[in-house]
Amino acid sequence: MAERGEREAFVTLATNDTYALGCLVLGNSLKQRARTTRKLVVMVTQGVSQSMRNQLARVFDMIYDVNLLDSRDSANLQLLGRPDLSVTFTKFHCWRLTMFEKAVFLDADTLVLQNVDELFDREELSAAPDAGWPDCFNSGVFVFRPSEETYNALLQFAMAQGSFDGGDQGLLNMYFRDWATKDIARHLPFIYNVVSQAFYSYLPAFTQFKDSVKIVHFIGATKPWHHPYNTTTKEVTPLPETGHNKDYLQIWWDIFMTFIQPTLDPSLKEQMGGLIGELAALSLESGATYGGSQEHLSEQERKLNWERGQVDYLGADKFENIEKKLNKSMQGPAASSKTYAASPFKNISVTSKATEQKQPPKE
Ligand code: UDP
Ligand code: GLC
Ligand code: MN
């Protein structure tokens, strides 16, 4: 029988090049920092470019092509404030990796700080509590057993029920609904999925236990690659109000600048522009600063941040833009460019290539 190292794998997902950057840092954290002995798999959709796939192939043992699965459940996703998360149903493809006996799924915005290979001793479905509602598990880190049967059952369930948050986490919590009560062994300790803002709700606990944290999760619309980084001081400056812990962001950027950025093809700047192009063109010698941005936030996410008191005064929320918006609204509803009507769709659908291309890559 094959070694466990062959039969077990860590799995992650990217539907576009920006999340693929996250996968690259995650993969490197598993290999260089945590020294895992298990296989690394990244699931990708057509939204990931060939050049990014070549990068991923340097770190991951397997690049697994999947179709985009989209919940299109905009009504529930609005509750979460993250319209971009409808594509997270694509995660369910991980159950089809039946060449492995057991696997651990990790979101592309997680970072592994210490070896976590002991997770493979747990059973399906093991996960850590969600910091926002601890009777639900957070689906950014979970242990599972690949099985076509489970994959089909999940899709059936999705079509019958929909997801209460419009993304994978709501659905998985309904499908594995006895997680909170049945078996404490399936409750992973919080150190396996510490949201990087948790300290602000319980700072003394963070101070006490921070050295035992094994996996950090940068949940929310602002990700590590959105924060400004200075190539002279080699320091990241956390965007104010995101609540992200600076030490963890710094580890993310150290891995990125050491193992990934030097290997990015500088011609990516011309080919791709945007955030990836800018990152590819960064050079430690030039003393350039990567500006970071909140430009990636949708109008809805900005609204949510605004309501939380997180206002982007220098960018999208600057007075000039607010004034423009006020003028537009005063001209009546026909002039307003966006409305957020609740969608009647609750079902999932496997999107065609054409629909998939309509989704702009989220940067
Ligand atoms: N994801 C992706 N493309 C997207 C949105 C999400 O590939 O446009 C994947 C990616 O692996 C990501 C996961 O789905 O880490 C869940 O989304 P995210 O981490 O942004 O959700 P959060 O943890 O912030 O709630
Ligand atoms: C969560 C999880 C993420 C999941 C999303 C949508 O906040 O962190 O992994 O994809 O919800 O359900
Ligand atoms: Mn995440």
Side-chain angles (χ1 to χ4, degrees):
M1 196 186 229
E3 292 287 312
R4 284 185 79 176
E6 301 292 316
R7 290 181 278 128
E8 297 174 343
F10 288 101
V11 182
T12 186
L13 162 71
T15 65
N16 58 42
D17 282 354
T18 312
Y19 273 97
L21 272 185
C23 295
L24 286 170
V25 173
L26 166 64
N28 271 286
S29 75
L30 276 161
K31 273 200 165 157
Q32 310 289 346
R33 215 182 143 100
R35 308 240 166 243
T36 180
T37 59
R38 303 315 202 269
K39 294 285 177 211
L40 302 190
V41 179
V42 58
M43 302 192 293
V44 293
T45 63
Q46 285 186 344
V48 178
S49 68
Q50 188 53 49
S51 136
M52 209 37 111
R53 284 163 191 246
N54 297 343
Q55 292 290 333
L56 289 165
R58 301 166 73 112
V59 189
F60 288 85
D61 300 293
M62 186 192 285
I63 298 189
Y64 189 70
D65 257 283
V66 295
N67 288 331
L68 196 77
L69 293 176
D70 192 337
S71 73
R72 304 259 187 90
D73 192 347
S74 62
N76 283 334
L77 280 159
Q78 278 188 63
L79 292 178
L80 198 72
R82 294 286 304 278
D84 55 305
L85 290 188
S86 65
V87 298
T88 63
F89 272 25
T90 311
K91 247 188 223 184
F92 301 150
H93 280 295
C94 69
W95 266 276
R96 309 190 79 180
L97 291 163
T98 50
M99 58 294 267
F100 299 104
E101 260 171 37
K102 205 184 274 181
V104 173
F105 182 89
L106 295 168
D107 265 8
D109 61 343
T110 59
L111 180 65
V112 179
L113 301 178
Q114 303 184 35
N115 187 285
V116 289
D117 289 357
E118 68 276 11
L119 283 176
F120 294 96
D121 296 334
R122 303 271 179 160
E123 262 315 316
E124 174 171 288
L125 183 288
S126 294
D130 185 90
W133 193 265
D135 280 348
C136 284
F137 57 84
N138 181 279
S139 64
V141 177
F142 60 88
V143 183
F144 68 102
R145 271 188 187 273
S147 138
E148 278 288 336
E149 210 180 319
T150 311
Y151 172 72
N152 289 325
L154 279 167
L155 290 201
Q156 287 299 321
F157 192 80
M159 281 188 269
Q161 315 262 321
S163 161
F164 67 76
D165 68 0
D168 62 295
Q169 179 163 312
L171 190 110
L172 289 172
N173 269 278
M174 294 306 280
Y175 187 84
F176 296 101
R177 61 168 68 229
D178 57 9
W179 170 84
T181 49
K182 197 173 169 202
D183 177 8
I184 192 66
R186 295 181 199 200
H187 258 78
L188 295 180
F190 190 56
I191 53 166
Y192 288 99
N193 189 350
V194 173
V195 296
S196 79
Q197 298 92 329
F199 338 120
Y200 299 96
S201 53
Y202 199 2
L203 189 57
F206 175 64
T207 311
Q208 175 74 11
F209 300 115
K210 69 174 182 310
D211 292 340
S212 40
V213 172
K214 296 195 176 197
I215 303 177
V216 183
H217 187 179
F218 297 97
I219 62 163
T222 303
K223 300 299 187 200
W225 50 87
H226 293 127
H227 295 267
Y229 177 85
N230 183 315
T231 55
T232 312
T233 59
K234 301 187 174 53
E235 252 188 278
V236 62
T237 308
L239 286 167
E241 308 293 347
T242 57
H244 282 163
N245 175 275
K246 180 169 175 175
D247 295 345
Y248 294 148
L249 284 177
Q250 189 64 47
I251 297 175
W252 191 96
W253 273 95
D254 287 347
I255 293 179
F256 178 75
M257 291 307 286
T258 310
F259 299 107
I260 301 155
Q261 200 281 334
T263 70
L264 289 179
D265 176 357
S267 70
L268 277 177
K269 185 171 166 61
E270 283 74 51
Q271 282 171 38
M272 304 175 71
L275 184 142
I276 312 270
E278 231 186 286
L279 287 170
L282 266 189
S283 144
L284 281 183
E285 286 79 53
S286 74
T289 298
Y290 162 71
S293 84
Q294 295 215 340
E295 291 299 305
H296 59 286
L297 297 178
S298 69
E299 197 168 327
Q300 203 176 354
E301 287 155 358
R302 275 197 202 103
K303 188 168 160 234
L304 206 79
N305 279 352
W306 178 286
E307 284 162 6
R308 287 194 195 112
Q310 302 170 4
V311 182
D312 184 11
Y313 290 113
L314 298 177
D317 302 325
K318 63 183 172 199
F319 181 70
E320 210 178 298
N321 288 349
I322 295 172
E323 197 179 25
K324 254 191 233 154
K325 186 142 192 176
L326 281 175
N327 288 340
K328 212 172 195 180
S329 332
M330 283 186 318
Q331 286 161 22
S336 161
S337 61
K338 259 191 194 149
T339 49
Y340 289 105
S343 154
F345 297 108
K346 274 250 162 95
N347 292 352
I348 58 135
S349 58
V350 181
T351 56
S352 67
K353 205 172 157 189
T355 330
E356 193 171 321
Q357 283 164 349
K358 267 191 231 150
Q359 306 247 351
K362 191 177 155 280
E363 291 200 334

